[in-house]
Amino acid sequence: MPELPEVEVVRAGLHPAVTGAVVSHVAILEPRSLRRHDGPAEDFVDRLTGATLLSAVRRGKFLWFPFVPERVAPGDRSLALVAHLGMSGQVLLRDREQPDDRLLRIRLDLVHPDHGDVRLAFVDQRIFGSMALDVTEPTADGAEAGFSGAGLLGHSEPGDPALVDPARVDAGPGGPGGRPPAWALSIPHQVAHIARDPLDPAFDEALFFSRLAARRSGIKRALLDQELISGIGNIYADESLWASKLHFDQPSSSLSRRKAALLLVEIRAVLLKALGEGGTSFDQQYVNVNGQSGYFSHSLNAYGQQGRPCPRCGTLIERVSFMNRGSHFCPRCQRLRG
DNA sequence: AAACAGCCCTGAGTGC
DNA sequence: TGCACTCAGGGCTGTT
């Protein structure tokens, strides 16, 4: 269930290892993990082998690595390696000497000028995740396509309260006042339709509120729509709605502007807190690039808490099926209104 | 255009 | 011990 905080932890962990690294070898152990790649596995291998990775970038739950191929012809379009973790995907940093992980699907061997050899292992139990090569295009609003550089985690340690201070957000690839490189202003074609996430400095709040007001469907459905607001999955939708005292099926259009603004504040707070705790792990489904679990599962108020007392009022949390997913909520705090 | 059902996918967990 | 069954849900496609 990697959502924004989990994907950001992975991205931040990969960034120093991949930036400036050259891909020396690519192995596809499971072709279905290339479902989003437009072309055969051989094409993926050929174009990526010898390439130099420029950065690790994230928007919502999508991760990508802009790269320069080994051979570049004039007029070639810029490319990126796109990764989505789906439900159970992991990207792990391994030594080449280590035996393969059991559910390894794709393996990239990298040579880094400073860090030496490193192996990037794409592990995915359910094969809902994928990797692909894709052309990039300029962002529609001209702003940076997503988070790169040190990003949200900055130089802090997990648990550092400074993590929840947006003023500490890293200035990005160009540095303070610097002009971002071309790759930072470009987004892979298959990610271009994804909305900016709520931690993105270029997130358009006014657009979010107006689109929310135009929808008659339930608020949870809206929060899970990655074309409206990205990065939120089932866990953080339930947590944000609990924090906002909103019922999952409350029509989006029924929210006042003030209530919608409060919801956005809670969404950001939940995401930042989870980020500071290294993400949400239940078992081995989500781990960082070193295989370590996050701690946010200890901070959950609603998700997976059915049968336990609501931390706010003591009423037992309920779980119902909604949109083919579990929805967890407090029947007293989160009443359907209007 | 928006809403929504259906599909993909398999290891872990459970009950017998 | 082993078998059948259930569960988890993000993103995309197609239909209404």
Side-chain angles (χ1 to χ4, degrees):
Chain A
M1 288 139 267
E3 305 178 27
L4 189 156
E6 293 78 31
V7 180
E8 175 59 20
V9 168
V10 170
R11 190 208 64 75
L14 291 174
H15 186 264
V18 303
T19 302
V22 174
V23 180
S24 60
H25 189 254
V26 180
I28 310 299
L29 292 85
E30 174 50 82
R32 289 175 297 175
S33 292
L34 293 179
R35 187 177 299 117
R36 297 175 70 97
H37 179 70
D38 185 20
E42 295 75 26
D43 173 71
F44 180 91
V45 174
D46 290 346
R47 291 158 76 189
L48 198 52
T49 305
T52 302
L53 305 180
L54 302 176
S55 186
V57 193
R58 180 195 56 77
R59 175 186 289 199
K61 306 172 197 171
F62 279 86
L63 199 57
W64 69 91
F65 311 87
F67 71 87
V68 179
E70 186 170 26
R71 292 173 298 279
V72 187
D76 280 358
R77 301 176 68 180
S78 297
L79 296 167
L81 165 63
V82 181
H84 196 290
L85 303 180
M87 283 295 298
S88 54
Q90 305 173 347
V91 184
L92 301 163
L93 293 176
R94 298 298 200 205
D95 292 327
R96 290 192 191 180
E97 292 72 28
Q98 283 179 278
D100 284 345
D101 293 273
R102 195 163 53 87
L103 300 169
L104 181 70
R105 310 301 189 191
I106 296 172
R107 193 174 59 206
L108 304 181
D109 285 333
L110 309 180
V111 177
H112 194 283
D114 303 324
H115 308 146
D117 294 350
V118 67
R119 172 165 285 174
L120 205 148
F122 183 73
V123 175
D124 188 9
Q125 181 204 116
R126 274 170 253 182
I127 322 183
F128 274 29
S130 65
M131 281 189 159
L133 302 188
D134 199 4
V135 295
T136 66
E137 58 195 45
T139 55
D141 56 11
E144 286 179 29
F147 281 104
S148 57
L152 289 163
L153 282 169
H155 305 290
S156 310
E157 292 298 318
D160 183 346
L163 282 173
V164 298
D165 179 3
R168 286 280 298 272
V169 170
D170 190 271
R179 183 185 172 82
W183 58 257
L185 301 170
S186 299
I187 189 162
H189 177 73
Q190 60 183 254
V191 189
H193 67 290
I194 299 295
R196 290 185 178 279
D197 62 64
L199 302 185
D200 188 329
F203 180 78
D204 190 336
E205 293 191 10
L207 179 64
F208 173 66
F209 293 139
S210 65
R211 291 185 67 186
L212 214 52
R215 287 193 182 221
R216 303 221 306 277
S217 60
I219 183 63
K220 181 167 177 179
R221 185 180 294 278
L223 295 184
L224 293 176
D225 182 350
Q226 305 297 302
E227 297 188 33
L228 175 66
I229 183 171
S230 68
I232 302 171
N234 205 40
I235 296 173
Y236 299 111
D238 281 1
E239 290 301 305
S240 302
L241 291 171
W242 180 86
S244 306
K245 301 185 184 179
L246 281 168
H247 188 276
F248 56 85
D249 210 14
Q250 185 74 38
S252 298
S253 57
S254 72
L255 269 65
S256 66
R257 173 70 172 244
R258 177 182 158 77
K259 190 67 184 174
L262 287 171
L263 172 61
L264 185 56
V265 166
E266 297 293 355
I267 289 169
R268 286 172 169 152
V270 166
L271 294 176
L272 284 167
K273 184 163 193 283
L275 191 53
E277 294 180 19
T280 304
S281 301
F282 295 108
D283 36 42
Q284 287 303 303
Q285 286 295 356
Y286 161 71
V287 293
N288 68 14
V289 295
N290 298 315
Q292 298 159 329
S293 296
Y295 291 94
F296 192 72
S297 57
H298 302 291
S299 303
L300 293 170
N301 291 306
Y303 184 87
Q305 305 303 302
Q306 60 271 22
R308 295 196 175 135
C310 167
R312 202 161 37 209
C313 76
T315 306
L316 297 186
I317 297 288
E318 288 183 13
R319 180 187 189 278
V320 298
S321 189
F322 177 73
M323 289 178 68
N324 294 321
R325 291 163 174 79
S327 269
H328 313 76
F329 68 108
C330 170
R332 182 172 172 188
C333 295
Q334 298 171 263
R335 287 186 190 152
L336 200 53
R337 295 177 195 282

